[in-house]
Amino acid sequence: MEKFRPQRRLNVQVGPRPYYLVEDMDESALKRKLQQCSEGPFYKTEFSIGHRGAPLQFPEHTKESYEAAARMGAGILECDVTFTKDRQLVCRHSQCDLHTTTNILAIPSLAAKCTQPFQPANPTTGRPASAMCCTSDITLAEFKQLCGKMDASNPAATTVEQYLGGTANWRTDLYSDCATVLSHKESIQLFKKLGTKFTPELKAPSVPMPFQGEYTQEQYAQQMINEYKQAGVHPSDVWPQSFNLNDVLYWIQNEPRFGKQGVYLDGRYEIPGTVFDPNNPTTWEPSMEELVDSGVKIIAPPIYVLVTLDAQGKIVPSAYAKAARAAGLDIIAWSFERSGPLKTGGGFYYQSVSPVIDNDGDMYVVLDVLARHVGIIGMFSDWPGTVTYYANCMGL
């Protein structure tokens, strides 16, 4: 494993984007307030969380992406955790995303191990190009041979080289030459060097559990925590996350010092066959009170779940947000700077307020409601400098 030098204090640099967004805002008291903060000083803040690093421009879950996020003032960095064939933990958003986030298909010896090798598009039948390569297909040593790239693919590709393209035009491949992929242990050492805290997410396995007949979900959840203990990381510096409530409850019951800051990532909005309405408490199961009774202290839904529009078209906290706070839950939101240009309403993350979203500057209006009215304690961002700027300006 690479040896990282001891941490040194980083000079936080938010870059030009926050200024662009502020100038793009409609005239308001909030815009004037943010303009007054233009000269800083800027500093690291735990309100600003690097979502997979800084993947708006750097390949996610790579050394380069994490370093960029820390330089932009992210006080907490995220390693999404999954496992390899030899049960080693690595940083990947999904167990089976190597075909879109790395160059694995361009390495014949490793591409041959993929769950589904590359299949070119067939223009005659309309079949898109496809592949499926999983961390569980290869060992940690093989994983470390990969180069990280921007998460993208070209469905019209007839060659591997074409398939490895497809990056959205509002992102960039400028830093995708060969970004450094990391094991979970390496991410811990890097974050210590950068002086940030940790929010690992235990990803749902894409293979049947117990893996290889004996590696259980509980062992997987425990292994992630063990790597922080082995590295001497204090539990108060770690916010372990999962969309699987049972993982969070496992940590609460078996590793209470870490479980105290366990984050329940609320993905109930996408459960097939269910109705989830952020403004209808009867559609939330379990309820906020039941979550609290089970020991959960922090909940983290997507941005749109926390905000809605009132009768006058003003962005306000949703019933979900109010109920979570009333029950005593802390709230973290995701993910800022992930939607691309907002001129058409902001897509998934802003769907509950899309009628009043028509320019990129509007994202600061949403963030202001989340921070001052919903009361979130942190915001995941694909470009942490934008959140750092707001948080520093508002003293968060």
Side-chain angles (χ1 to χ4, degrees):
M1 186 175 72
E2 180 181 355
K3 292 184 178 179
F4 297 106
R5 294 191 182 95
Q7 75 173 78
R8 58 186 175 85
R9 188 174 180 273
L10 295 180
N11 177 26
V12 172
Q13 302 168 14
V14 297
R17 183 159 175 80
Y19 306 96
Y20 164 80
L21 295 176
V22 171
E23 292 305 310
D24 194 47
M25 295 173 67
D26 297 333
E27 291 302 321
S28 66
L30 174 61
K31 178 175 182 176
R32 292 189 292 274
K33 168 67 174 174
L34 292 174
Q35 286 174 323
Q36 292 170 3
C37 298
S38 63
E39 304 314 304
F42 299 111
Y43 51 88
K44 179 176 63 180
T45 168
E46 291 173 17
F47 186 85
S48 180
I49 306 171
H51 180 239
R52 318 183 199 178
L56 181 64
Q57 293 195 33
F58 289 82
E60 63 185 45
H61 295 307
T62 63
K63 177 176 180 284
E64 294 77 9
S65 190
Y66 291 133
E67 289 176 335
R71 179 64 70 182
M72 287 188 279
I76 303 172
L77 296 177
E78 177 189 47
C79 167
D80 288 337
V81 176
T82 189
F83 55 85
T84 60
K85 187 176 183 178
D86 51 348
R87 306 183 196 175
Q88 299 301 301
L89 303 183
V90 295
C91 298
R92 285 293 96 192
H93 178 63
S94 167
Q95 189 162 52
C96 294
D97 71 6
L98 296 181
H99 51 289
T100 63
T101 65
T102 75
N103 66 336
I104 189 170
L105 293 174
I107 304 174
S109 61
L110 298 184
K113 300 185 178 186
C114 289
T115 296
Q116 181 206 313
F118 172 69
Q119 293 185 347
N122 187 324
T124 302
T125 64
R127 184 192 70 198
S130 63
M132 181 178 287
C133 304
C134 307
T135 58
S136 51
D137 293 333
I138 58 177
T139 65
L140 175 60
E142 291 167 332
F143 174 80
K144 290 294 293 178
Q145 296 176 36
L146 303 176
C147 293
K149 74 176 193 68
M150 295 299 283
D151 184 8
S153 62
N154 178 0
T158 56
T159 67
V160 165
E161 184 179 13
Q162 292 173 350
Y163 186 78
L164 293 176
T167 301
N169 61 12
W170 44 271
R171 290 192 166 118
T172 180
D173 286 317
L174 189 62
Y175 306 108
S176 289
D177 182 47
C178 186
T180 309
V181 298
L182 298 173
S183 70
H184 179 235
K185 288 180 179 178
E186 288 175 321
S187 79
I188 294 173
Q189 294 305 315
L190 176 61
F191 298 178
K192 289 172 72 173
K193 172 191 170 186
L194 295 171
T196 69
K197 297 184 180 181
F198 315 80
T199 185
E201 179 190 337
L202 195 75
K203 301 302 297 189
S206 299
V207 293
M209 299 295 278
F211 179 59
Q212 299 173 337
E214 59 183 37
Y215 185 58
T216 66
Q217 183 71 26
E218 291 76 16
Q219 288 174 321
Y220 173 37
Q222 185 64 52
Q223 183 180 357
M224 188 182 85
I225 299 300
N226 286 347
E227 295 194 347
Y228 289 94
K229 295 166 73 173
Q230 292 161 5
V233 176
H234 196 278
S236 64
D237 291 340
V238 184
W239 286 262
Q241 320 165 65
S242 182
F243 280 98
N244 182 347
L245 180 57
N246 287 332
D247 291 337
V248 180
L249 297 179
Y250 173 85
W251 296 321
I252 290 170
Q253 294 160 10
N254 295 277
E255 289 286 354
R257 297 179 70 207
F258 287 89
K260 183 179 180 180
Q261 292 188 154
V263 180
Y264 173 41
L265 295 165
D266 196 346
R268 289 176 288 179
Y269 61 88
E270 65 177 4
I271 298 175
T274 64
V275 176
F276 181 85
D277 181 351
N279 289 298
N280 182 355
T282 64
T283 66
W284 315 336
E285 188 178 339
S287 68
M288 300 298 181
E289 292 75 16
E290 288 170 333
L291 287 172
V292 171
D293 288 345
S294 69
V296 174
K297 297 183 184 299
I298 308 172
I299 197 166
I303 290 170
Y304 87 87
V305 169
L306 296 169
V307 289
T308 189
L309 298 176
D310 67 13
Q312 288 72 45
K314 182 180 178 182
I315 300 173
V316 296
S318 67
Y320 176 107
K322 293 177 182 177
R325 288 298 304 279
L329 289 165
D330 284 331
I331 305 171
I332 297 172
W334 47 273
S335 293
F336 212 61
E337 292 279 41
R338 191 148 185 87
S339 293
L342 268 59
K343 61 185 177 182
T344 57
F348 172 82
Y349 292 98
Y350 298 89
Q351 60 185 279
S352 60
V353 294
S354 60
V356 300
I357 298 290
D358 59 15
N359 62 60
D360 289 349
D362 284 338
M363 68 175 72
Y364 268 140
V365 178
V366 175
L367 181 58
D368 188 59
V369 173
L370 290 168
R372 294 198 302 117
H373 301 293
V374 172
I376 63 171
I377 63 170
M379 170 63 81
F380 281 96
S381 179
D382 281 24
W383 199 244
T386 56
V387 174
T388 299
Y389 184 101
Y390 174 89
N392 288 177
C393 189
M394 300 298 179
L396 301 176

